[in-house]
Amino acid sequence: MISSISADFKDSLKAEEAVNKVKSRLMWIYSASIRPQNPDSSAKQLSGFTSAVGHDDLITQRNCTVYIVAEKSCNDDICSILSKMGGTNIKAAK
């Protein structure tokens, strides 16, 4: 069964690091994306994990949300990694 997990991060670089760790350590990860919580004209959607128009210091301070689609059997491991990497408001939908 497939599920979706989301987590909020205050630092997009930490979010990227968490996603990379999930993808490298766990199998059955179907997709992973990072999106800014409050996009504005100075930044575009973060895809391929970190790409934005502007200064690097603005990127690292940007609040973002991580979305991961994976097999439900991976939920506990994914949530654990996201939490250890600084993720908050972690939600797993079935």
Side-chain angles (χ1 to χ4, degrees):
M1 179 176 251
I2 296 175
S3 70
S4 174
I5 298 172
S6 64
D8 296 335
F9 282 82
K10 292 183 180 180
D11 180 338
S12 63
L13 293 179
K14 276 292 198 187
E16 180 180 354
E17 188 178 334
V19 167
N20 288 334
K21 186 176 265 190
V22 166
K23 290 176 72 175
S24 69
R25 291 189 178 186
L26 302 173
M27 294 180 63
W28 307 110
I29 306 300
Y30 298 115
S31 70
S33 62
I34 302 170
R35 297 187 188 118
Q37 289 177 349
N38 297 314
D40 58 21
S41 61
S42 68
K44 295 181 179 179
Q45 178 176 327
L46 299 174
S47 61
F49 300 120
T50 306
S51 65
V53 177
H55 300 290
D56 288 342
D57 57 341
L58 294 176
I59 296 169
T60 60
Q61 296 175 3
R62 180 166 295 284
N63 292 337
C64 61
T65 303
V66 168
Y67 298 95
I68 297 174
V69 177
E71 282 294 324
K72 185 179 177 184
S73 61
C74 299
N75 279 7
D76 290 341
D77 293 331
I78 294 169
C79 291
S80 176
I81 291 170
L82 294 175
S83 177
K84 287 178 185 176
M85 298 299 294
T88 59
N89 197 25
I90 300 170
K91 297 178 185 175
K94 299 174 183 172

